[in-house]
Amino acid sequence: MSVRPLVAGNWKMNGTRSALKELGLMAEGYDAALRASVDLMICPPAPLVFLAAGAAIGTRIGIGAQDCHAEASGAFTGEVSAEMIADAGAGAVIVGHSERRQYFKETDAVVEAKARAAIRAGLAAIVCVGETREEREAGKTLGVVGRQVARSVPEGATPATVIVAYEPVWAIGTGLTPTTADIAEVHALIRKKLVGRHGKQAAGIRILYGGSVKPANAKELMAVPNVDGALVGGASLKAADFLAIAAAYR
Ligand code: PEP
């Protein structure tokens, strides 16, 4: 099955309104040739989602958020629901990023509930999985990632509702990446798990690779079997770098 790739940018806790000029530059560089071959998405911090969604109208660049609460509304001071994110004009939300799992102690059950909330609100859930350095060194990568996919991706996942991002924790922000053979092995496992549980149509669920994707390595990483795009952190903050990564699909 041919899967339309997606290059998504996670701005993390970076950027104020002035950063939206980068979104404008991305839109300028997202020319017909790129639009024909790859989807683009930017996930800015929550206060920018509404403005970014407005700025992205007519550009075909999607806007996503970086996290959501599992409940639709209620007494959860400081939290943002998937319904609010959808109402702000976004089309997706990242859930279970390793920084959420690590610093905010989010378990697979919490991530799954957030992914279900995203789907309930009409958003695509970008479900992140990935092993730590210790887990890789102990030979536990496939077990850990397999378990995270089984427990974090909700029942009934489809290509429209779920995107999986494989992000080895030790590769995020470090400049390190797994070998292409290692990435291929993990992505094949994720694909097998998805199809095994969600049926044939799960062959169309996008599986992104994330972790130190840069213009210099994008082409090699994006050519790995079952890699249907990238989730990009640091290199998504500047339009020139982000577009250079997307150009791997030109
Ligand atoms: C991320 O945090 O999702 C990420 C992939 O970061 P970076 O590209 O900076 O490694």
Side-chain angles (χ1 to χ4, degrees):
M1 182 182 288
S2 85
V3 179
R4 186 171 158 86
L6 166 69
V7 174
N10 171 15
W11 281 4
K12 310 194 185 193
M13 198 172 74
N14 296 295
T16 53
R17 280 181 295 171
S18 64
L20 294 177
K21 73 175 182 305
E22 293 298 326
L23 183 61
L25 293 171
M26 288 171 191
E28 277 172 30
Y30 191 30
D31 59 26
L34 266 189
R35 287 200 303 270
S37 51
V38 60
D39 287 338
L40 297 186
M41 181 189 294
I42 289 294
C43 302
L48 292 182
V49 167
F50 177 74
L51 288 173
I57 289 171
T59 68
R60 291 179 46 193
I61 296 179
I63 298 299
Q66 299 172 14
D67 182 37
C68 67
H69 195 276
E71 298 295 329
S73 63
F76 300 102
T77 301
E79 292 293 298
V80 174
S81 75
E83 280 75 4
M84 293 168 182
I85 291 165
D87 186 56
V93 60
I94 299 169
V95 293
H97 189 279
S98 65
E99 288 150 17
R100 304 285 324 167
R101 291 179 185 261
Q102 194 181 342
Y103 305 140
F104 302 95
K105 307 287 173 251
E106 292 191 3
T107 61
D108 288 325
V110 167
V111 175
E112 194 266 351
K114 290 183 173 197
R116 266 190 290 118
I119 297 166
R120 177 189 70 214
L123 301 172
I126 304 175
V127 181
C128 300
V129 297
E131 82 285 0
T132 63
R133 181 193 303 275
E134 295 70 33
E135 289 164 342
R136 175 159 286 272
E137 284 170 359
K140 293 181 177 165
T141 298
L142 296 183
V144 167
V145 173
R147 187 205 70 221
Q148 289 176 333
V149 170
R151 296 185 184 170
S152 307
V153 174
E155 207 53 64
T158 68
T161 59
V162 168
I163 296 160
V164 175
Y166 168 54
E167 299 203 305
V169 180
W170 54 273
I172 294 178
T174 58
L176 302 172
T177 55
T179 64
T180 52
D182 286 343
I183 295 173
E185 185 181 36
V186 177
H187 279 237
L189 170 90
I190 295 172
R191 180 70 69 209
K192 191 164 151 221
K193 293 265 172 201
L194 292 173
V195 171
R197 175 148 164 251
H198 306 284
K200 264 201 231 145
Q201 48 88 30
I205 291 180
R206 293 188 276 198
I207 308 173
L208 312 182
Y209 168 77
S212 295
V213 179
K214 308 285 176 209
N217 62 17
K219 209 164 184 158
E220 188 187 12
L221 296 173
M222 298 305 102
V224 175
N226 283 307
V227 171
D228 308 311
L231 183 53
V232 185
S236 71
L237 293 168
K238 291 284 167 222
D241 290 340
F242 190 62
L243 289 168
I245 290 169
Y249 289 104
R250 220 179 244 293

